[in-house]
Structure formats: structure tokens, C-alpha cells
Amino acid sequence: MAKTPAKRKPRADAERNRARILEVAKGAFTKSGAEASLDEIAREAGVGPGTLYRHFPTRDALLEAVYRTEVEKLASAGQELALRLSPPEALRSWLLLFVDYIAAKKIIAPALSTLVQCHPKVVEASRTQIHDAIQSLVRRAVESGDIRTDLDPIDLLSAIVGVAHVPAIPDWQQCARRLVDILIAGSRPVK
């Protein structure tokens, strides 16, 4: 019986190349949408087209990786913020990051529509990561006594997403940032 070789960890330079490609691709998709030039992305990342295609064989694979990476950054930020900030300040800081995430997602929305249609499990997994992050932050703030016990974490997300999708608000991000402070203040326990 042949033994399957263990999968090797990618080399450090390959990981750096992948990370650079993802960062450049995020900017390119934000600027130009789903049709951003993959050759231009490779050039700006300082790699050849072959390196880009070795990591991401298709445009959809690159777009999916950019999306996943942004969601993972947002989800892990919750844990990092909880380690260094008070419970309500960690929640507030994470909600401000969520505003930035929504802004980036809105810009690349046309490119993401393919992902949503073709890979609904990716989108669902991302939603779960975001929900888990905010639920953990809210639970911590409730346990510390800084946030009321009847707060539903999803209500906070819904309020911010709602502001982001009102077409009459030209500078919705500023409005959403103010809303974060209002939400935090309104979530304090009544004394």
C-alpha cells in the first residue's frame, strides 16, 4: 500500500508572493472591477504571470482568495482587539473595521457577484466568520457589564449594512462611523 506524501508547507518566498498578489489584486479589483488585468496585477506584485497563475489558476480563484482574505482579516481582528482593548472599545473598533470592510465590498460588488452566484458556500462561510467574531465581542462586553444583556449582535451589523445601502447618503461611511458610536452608547446598560 503506497503512502500518500504529506503536503509540504509552502516556502516563505511563495507565501510572500501570494500575499503581495492578493494585496495588489484587492486594489485592482477595487479600482477596475472584475475585469482588472491579471497581467497588470502580476507586474505590480513583482511576479511573473506564471507565478500568479500557479497560485490562482483562474480570475475567479483570485477573486475568491481576495474575498476570503479580507473576511479572515476582519474575523481575526476581533480576537486581536479583544486582547488589547476593553470590551466596549474592542467592539467599537471592530465595528469601525466592519464599516471599512463594507466599503471595500461595495466597491468590488460587481466582481463579487460571480462569487456569490458560483460559490455560495464561500459566502456562507464568510458570513459565519463575521457573525462569530461579533458574537464573541458582544458576549465579552455583556459579561463585563459594559453592554446590555438583550443586545443581539446581528442588530449591530444590520444597522451598519442598512446605512451602507441607502443610496441617498453620499458619504455613508462617515454616517456609519457616527452610527457605531451611537450604537455603542445605546447598547450600554440602563442604570
Side-chain angles (χ1 to χ4, degrees):
M1 182 174 194
K3 196 174 187 182
T4 305
K7 194 172 187 177
R8 289 189 321 184
K9 183 178 178 185
R11 295 184 341 229
D13 63 327
E15 283 297 311
R16 283 190 302 273
N17 286 342
R18 186 178 193 285
R20 266 196 324 271
I21 291 167
L22 287 171
E23 193 58 38
V24 170
K26 176 187 170 192
F29 288 137
T30 299
K31 181 179 172 188
S32 305
E35 297 310 312
S37 166
L38 297 185
D39 288 339
E40 185 65 24
I41 290 171
R43 189 185 66 68
E44 284 186 44
V47 300
T51 299
L52 184 142
Y53 287 107
R54 192 168 31 261
H55 287 283
F56 310 102
T58 66
R59 179 179 302 277
D60 285 348
L62 178 56
L63 181 60
E64 180 180 331
V66 167
Y67 177 73
R68 280 181 194 248
T69 299
E70 291 307 301
V71 170
E72 288 166 4
K73 284 181 191 176
L74 180 62
S76 68
Q79 296 166 354
E80 294 165 16
L81 292 167
L83 291 175
R84 58 186 178 83
L85 298 173
S86 68
E89 192 53 36
L91 177 59
R92 179 186 176 278
S93 295
W94 189 88
L95 287 170
L96 291 171
L97 290 174
F98 183 71
V99 171
D100 295 340
Y101 164 78
I102 293 294
K105 188 175 172 186
K106 280 183 70 151
I107 291 169
I108 63 171
L112 287 175
S113 66
T114 301
L115 180 66
V116 172
Q117 293 169 1
C118 298
H119 305 282
K121 288 183 180 180
V122 170
V123 175
E124 184 57 38
S126 299
R127 185 176 295 120
T128 299
Q129 284 181 291
I130 290 170
H131 287 184
D132 289 350
I134 193 163
Q135 287 171 342
S136 175
L137 289 165
V138 167
R139 183 174 40 256
R140 183 173 172 257
V142 166
E143 289 170 358
S144 73
D146 292 307
I147 297 293
R148 33 191 305 162
T149 59
D150 63 343
L151 178 68
D152 183 343
I154 304 308
D155 290 344
L156 297 173
L157 298 181
S158 298
I160 294 169
V161 169
V163 169
H165 289 93
V166 175
I169 301 176
D171 194 8
W172 72 268
Q173 279 181 274
Q174 287 302 94
C175 182
R177 288 180 178 287
R178 285 190 306 273
L179 179 62
V180 166
D181 288 328
I182 293 166
L183 290 168
I184 295 297
S187 298
R188 299 278 186 183
V190 178
K191 296 190 180 195

